[in-house]
Amino acid sequence: MSSPARFDRGHTDDLMTFLTASPSPYHAVANAAERLEKAGFRQLSETDAWDSGTGGKFVLRGGALIAWFVPEGAAAHTPFRIVGAHTDSPNLRVKPLPDMGSQGWRQIAVEIYGGTLLNTWLDRDLGLAGRLTLRDGTERLVNIDRALLRVPQLAVHLDRSVNSDGLKLDKQRHMQPIWGLGDPHEGDLIAFLEEEEGLEQGSVAGWDLMVHSIEPPSYLGRDRELVAGPRMDNLLSVHAGVAALAAVSGAGKLDHIPVLAAFDHEENGSQSDTGADGPLLGNVLERSVFARGGSYEDRARAFAGTICLSSDTGHAVHPNYGERHDPTHHPRANAGPILKVNVNQRYATDGSGRAVFAAACERAGVPWQTFVSNNSMPCGTTIGPITAARHGIQTVDIGVAILSMHSARELCGADDPYLLANALVAFLEG
């Protein structure tokens, strides 16, 4: 018998609020932490000794968050059930020397982050967000959520072949946004941000800044059955994971420890101290075992019984490019989350993982679909294979089917976010 759904369309409304409030990975984890704190979780410092107490806990590091709930009576060898996701999205990021210009226009020097669709950043009103590091070592989140920047496209009159031969963009020459007129002066951008944040001039020593489209998410279509918005890859999964973890922390007895692992830097390979290929998750899980009096043997037993759902967006079948998809696997919007399979281990799913996911969806009363790449097309990858290989834990790749992946503005079915969240609750409940 399927259990009733915990979440409905209100979950999707809340997702849009979360997307708007999270223009950078640093904002995303801050917002996730605030939601978890309201659910009774408490933040731990990595430099402190951890106690053996039960309840909800989380660790923040840069743009990454690891949160877990220790139920009453959990033994040191209790296995984990992990929802994995990532907080970063392809975009344009500010260079160390940002102030530049040409032909009387003041510009900001940016670097391309991840595999972004460059043309989707053209002729959009862009804001600026990220974190500032002050000279005293403290950090300050910053979000200029107004029309500050723009990457102007060349007029068709000056490129008559653009509609016949296609748009060709040079990442260095064509993607630097404008933000005013006149000659550039070194230090202008950071001085502007110091003024905006009410900081003393010269107090900023470092920065991690990125641009974002200021157009808010919205329902789309005759029946409002679709959602368009930024950073769905992969804040949609982060948001669902936070909601699911909070929900199960108030549930009944659990025979495992539910975990949310939201990593940074997935879009450029996950190799960082906050990425899935770094030690963060393993360190947190091990310290949780040892804090409860466990030994290395307990750690090995816990990891052997652990399962991870790596939740990331996947490709919905495209109405204008149907031939790019596998002919027998056509994931559709509002048909439920997708199980992602690739026999060459670009996704970590195998047959036993399929059974785990199918059982969770059945318990939640959620429909689900399968995604496989066309054999003639290269397959993307996720944190799934990295998590499985690095930690030796069973991992299953899933997600929500979307269109316009890696665009500045992506598209999904309005029902799929809460269907995913319901499936994650069932998985974390076990």
Side-chain angles (χ1 to χ4, degrees):
M1 178 69 67
S2 297
S3 61
R6 293 178 181 267
F7 303 114
D8 56 19
R9 187 63 71 86
H11 175 90
T12 305
D13 294 337
D14 189 62
L15 167 64
M16 293 194 286
T17 299
F18 185 78
L19 293 174
T20 300
S22 305
S24 78
Y26 315 110
H27 289 83
V29 297
N31 290 322
E34 181 179 3
R35 289 162 180 254
L36 289 171
E37 286 179 334
K38 289 179 179 178
F41 285 66
R42 59 188 175 93
Q43 183 175 355
L44 301 183
S45 170
E46 291 186 81
T47 59
D48 291 342
W50 292 1
D51 60 48
S52 60
T54 59
K57 311 173 186 185
F58 66 89
V59 167
L60 293 180
R61 184 193 289 185
L65 174 147
I66 311 293
W68 66 103
F69 181 83
V70 181
E72 293 287 344
H77 62 268
T78 300
F80 302 92
R81 284 217 163 195
I82 305 169
V83 171
H86 66 88
T87 61
D88 59 318
S89 301
N91 57 15
L92 312 179
R93 303 206 171 186
V94 176
K95 290 184 175 181
L97 299 176
D99 300 292
M100 62 175 295
S102 179
Q103 310 299 325
W105 296 93
R106 296 170 67 193
Q107 295 172 279
I108 300 300
V110 297
E111 190 172 2
I112 310 303
Y113 178 82
T116 188
L117 286 169
L118 297 179
N119 65 295
T120 67
W121 292 93
L122 302 179
D123 297 334
R124 286 187 183 272
D125 294 337
L126 304 173
L128 190 67
R131 67 177 178 181
L132 304 174
T133 302
L134 308 187
R135 294 193 181 278
D136 62 6
T138 60
E139 295 178 352
R140 177 78 68 91
L141 295 184
V142 59
N143 181 13
I144 310 300
D145 198 32
R146 67 173 188 269
L148 181 68
L149 306 164
R150 185 180 179 92
V151 183
Q153 187 169 193
L154 186 65
V156 68
H157 312 79
L158 304 178
D159 186 6
R160 294 288 184 178
S161 64
V162 66
N163 290 326
S164 57
D165 297 342
L167 178 64
K168 297 178 176 61
L169 294 171
D170 184 282
K171 293 179 180 180
Q172 180 63 42
R173 292 185 296 124
H174 300 149
M175 297 305 298
Q176 311 305 323
I178 60 172
W179 76 312
L181 298 172
D183 297 326
H185 298 94
E186 185 177 351
D188 273 357
L189 176 64
I190 301 307
F192 163 76
L193 294 176
E194 289 171 336
E195 182 179 359
E196 286 286 310
E197 292 299 303
L199 297 170
E200 183 180 346
Q201 186 175 1
S203 61
V204 173
W207 53 89
D208 300 280
L209 300 168
M210 58 206 72
V211 307
H212 65 275
S213 171
I214 64 170
E215 184 181 2
S218 63
Y219 286 104
L220 182 146
R222 186 194 68 178
D223 299 319
R224 293 166 56 86
E225 59 193 337
L226 302 170
V227 172
R231 300 176 294 281
M232 289 185 179
D233 179 9
N234 186 33
L235 294 187
L236 188 158
S237 294
V238 174
H239 176 261
V242 170
L245 182 60
V248 301
S249 69
K253 181 175 175 57
L254 299 171
D255 60 3
H256 54 270
I257 297 173
V259 179
L260 170 64
F263 299 103
D264 200 355
H265 300 132
E266 189 274 345
E267 297 294 357
N268 62 8
S270 294
Q271 292 186 323
S272 71
D273 69 326
T274 53
D277 203 18
L280 181 58
L281 176 61
N283 286 349
V284 168
L285 299 185
E286 288 180 350
R287 291 186 69 177
S288 176
V289 170
F290 299 152
R292 284 176 279 120
S295 62
Y296 184 82
E297 180 73 10
D298 292 311
R299 179 260 188 215
R301 292 175 66 188
F303 277 44
T306 292
I307 305 173
C308 174
L309 287 191
S310 164
S311 181
D312 203 346
T313 55
H315 301 293
V317 62
H318 198 296
N320 300 332
Y321 300 90
E323 74 281 359
R324 301 294 182 97
H325 299 266
D326 183 84
T328 58
H329 295 79
H330 281 180
R332 301 181 186 278
N334 287 336
I338 56 174
L339 179 74
K340 301 161 78 170
V341 179
N342 180 264
V343 295
N344 293 303
Q345 289 298 293
R346 300 292 285 175
Y347 304 130
T349 306
D350 61 11
S352 61
R354 183 185 191 275
V356 169
F357 180 62
C361 289
E362 182 178 354
R363 288 194 300 273
V366 167
W368 61 280
Q369 323 173 68
T370 306
F371 172 82
V372 179
S373 288
N374 185 305
N375 288 343
S376 299
M377 306 290 293
C379 180
T381 191
T382 68
I383 65 167
I386 294 171
T387 303
R390 182 170 184 83
H391 305 294
I393 58 180
Q394 182 181 14
T395 304
V396 188
D397 272 295
I398 66 162
V400 162
I402 69 171
L403 292 181
S404 306
M405 186 183 293
H406 287 196
S407 169
R409 194 168 177 84
E410 296 162 324
L411 180 73
C412 75
D415 296 339
D416 284 328
Y418 70 80
L419 293 175
L420 172 66
N422 285 319
L424 295 184
V425 168
F427 166 73
L428 290 177
E429 286 180 335

